[in-house]
């Protein structure tokens, strides 16, 4: 039951983008097309899950035993950067079109505060490895859900005849706020 609560909480109640406002850069930047949003969601999900596993292992087997937890942030950033480089190389070989579509946002996963935030939250919440993986996957699903929903709404908004002052970023920010308010409706489900 604990894993189900972690899942529901991470996807709906404490959505990393809409509740905690982490990962806003790719959320706003890659959300113009659903296809690109799906690719970014997949890349973030992979990096977020693998990074959480690696950072958890480094924290528990190196940083804590050697009493050098003050190096947590810098070591986590280095791990995430290495993983993003690996994903970038794989995407370039497997799907050049997706690699081109993601453009500058793929390297930005390195500095995506959602990935670093989840790695740090796992340690702060004192999860074990299994709970950490469930939390990372759930958070990635929540990120992807928010990103794809937002991209779909933005695609629909682009077909409307909006006033000039509401086109582009203003309508995107207003939509993001309304989407965040909609996700707040899940707040009573889990503590």
């Amino acid at each position: 039951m604990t894993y189900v609560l972690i899942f529901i909480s991470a996807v709906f109640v404490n959505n990393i983008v809409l509740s905690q406002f982490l990962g806003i850069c790719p959320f706003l930047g890659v959300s113009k097309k659903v296809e690109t949003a799906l690719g970014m969601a997949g890349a973030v999900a992979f990096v977020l899950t693998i990074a959480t596993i690696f950072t958890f292992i480094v924290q528990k087997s190196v940083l804590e035993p050697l009493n050098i937890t003050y190096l947590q942030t810098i070591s986590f950033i280095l791990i995430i950067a290495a993983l993003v480089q690996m994903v970038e190389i794989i995407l370039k070989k497997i799907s050049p079109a997706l690699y081109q579509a993601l453009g500058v946002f793929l390297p930005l996963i390195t500095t995506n505060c959602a990935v670093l935030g989840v790695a740090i939250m796992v340690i702060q919440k004192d999860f074990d490895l299994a709970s950490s993986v469930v939390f990372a996957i759930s958070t990635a699903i929540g990120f992807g859900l928010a990103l794809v929903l937002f991209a779909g709404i933005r695609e629909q908004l682009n077909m409307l005849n909006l006033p000039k002052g509401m086109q582009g970023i203003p309508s995107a920010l207003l939509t993001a706020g309304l989407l965040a308010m909609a996700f707040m409706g899940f707040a009573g489900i889990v503590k």
Side-chain angles (χ1 to χ4, degrees):
M1 189 62 173
T2 305
Y3 297 137
V4 173
L5 291 176
I6 291 172
F7 178 83
I8 292 170
S9 176
V11 173
F12 298 109
V13 179
N14 298 315
N15 187 290
I16 197 83
V17 176
L18 300 173
S19 297
Q20 299 176 10
F21 306 111
L22 295 175
I24 294 293
C25 180
F27 180 70
L28 292 173
V30 186
S31 61
K32 292 179 182 167
K33 293 183 179 178
V34 172
E35 183 181 336
T36 310
L38 283 168
M40 179 57 119
V44 168
F46 178 76
V47 170
L48 200 143
T49 305
I50 300 300
T52 300
I53 293 169
F54 277 92
T55 55
F56 181 87
I57 291 169
V58 167
Q59 177 75 21
K60 298 298 179 185
S61 63
V62 177
L63 299 178
E64 287 179 6
L66 296 176
N67 199 24
I68 53 173
T69 54
Y70 57 88
L71 293 175
Q72 180 187 58
T73 304
I74 190 72
S75 60
F76 284 11
I77 289 171
L78 291 173
I79 291 167
I80 292 165
L83 289 170
V84 169
Q85 288 301 311
M86 182 180 72
V87 169
E88 193 170 356
I89 291 168
I90 291 169
L91 268 181
K92 198 172 191 178
K93 298 241 183 228
I94 293 175
S95 179
L98 180 59
Y99 176 77
Q100 288 295 327
L102 292 175
V104 72
F105 293 101
L106 189 58
L108 285 178
I109 294 175
T110 304
T111 58
N112 186 343
C113 53
V115 178
L116 180 61
V118 169
I120 291 172
M121 278 188 250
V122 160
I123 303 303
Q124 288 175 343
K125 292 177 186 262
D126 201 28
F127 283 152
D128 59 356
L129 184 58
S131 297
S132 299
V133 171
V134 170
F135 182 73
I137 291 170
S138 302
T139 302
I141 290 170
F143 178 83
L145 176 67
L147 190 61
V148 171
L149 281 173
F150 190 57
I153 294 169
R154 284 186 76 179
E155 279 185 356
Q156 293 297 314
L157 284 174
N158 286 338
M159 290 189 261
L160 296 176
N161 188 16
L162 294 173
K164 189 171 184 169
M166 285 300 294
Q167 293 175 359
I169 296 295
S171 65
L173 292 175
L174 186 61
T175 303
L178 292 171
L179 196 56
M181 286 175 54
F183 270 69
M184 285 176 58
F186 295 112
I189 295 175
V190 181
K191 293 180 184 180

